Amino acid sequence: MRLLSGWLINSLSLIVISLLLPFIHLSHPLAAFKVTLMLGLLYHVAKPVVMVLIAPAIVLSLGLLIPVLDVIIFQAAGQSNFGMEIGTFWQALAGYAAYRLLARVTSVTVLGIRP
């Protein structure tokens, strides 16, 4: 139940962010569900593999590459054929920050999930 409610909150957060930010465009509101499913898979499958591969660079940057990797994954979801378009890296950074902030605040207030 928690997995489905988290997926729903993330999808609704993505829909709200696409309505607020002009540089994030969803082809259809239902595309947000596909995009958040793909984002979840990328964050839980691809991100750990990439982090192991670039571990020395993460250590040298004192962990500052981890948020950059998150933005790259978010932008990769925008480049895919799942119905979301994002412009430049900086627009993806702003969109990712707004998306994660809204999703975190909503999950804490609605579900009572603490990070």
Side-chain angles (χ1 to χ4, degrees), residues 10-56:
N10 285 338
S11 299
L12 292 176
S13 298
L14 188 61
I15 291 170
V16 169
I17 292 303
S18 72
L19 293 174
L20 293 176
L21 300 176
F23 46 82
I24 294 181
H25 181 270
L26 287 173
S27 62
H28 192 272
L30 293 178
F33 292 98
K34 294 189 292 187
V35 171
T36 52
L37 179 64
M38 190 183 89
L39 278 173
L41 289 173
L42 285 174
Y43 284 133
H44 294 300
V45 175
K47 183 179 174 183
V49 172
V50 173
M51 285 182 65
V52 167
L53 292 175
I54 65 168

Side-chain angles (χ1 to χ4, degrees), residues 21 23-24 68 71-72 74-75 86-98:
L21 300 176
F23 46 82
I24 294 181
V68 173
V71 173
I72 290 171
F74 187 72
Q75 191 173 20
I86 304 174
T88 64
F89 174 80
W90 299 108
Q91 292 171 340
L93 176 66
Y96 174 75

Side-chain angles (χ1 to χ4, degrees), residues 49-100:
V49 172
V50 173
M51 285 182 65
V52 167
L53 292 175
I54 65 168
I58 291 174
V59 170
L60 287 175
S61 72
L62 302 175
L64 293 176
L65 282 180
I66 295 172
V68 173
L69 181 61
D70 289 340
V71 173
I72 290 171
I73 290 173
F74 187 72
Q75 191 173 20
Q79 300 295 330
S80 66
N81 256 347
F82 286 97
M84 182 172 77
E85 295 176 12
I86 304 174
T88 64
F89 174 80
W90 299 108
Q91 292 171 340
L93 176 66
Y96 174 75
Y99 164 69
R100 289 308 305 158

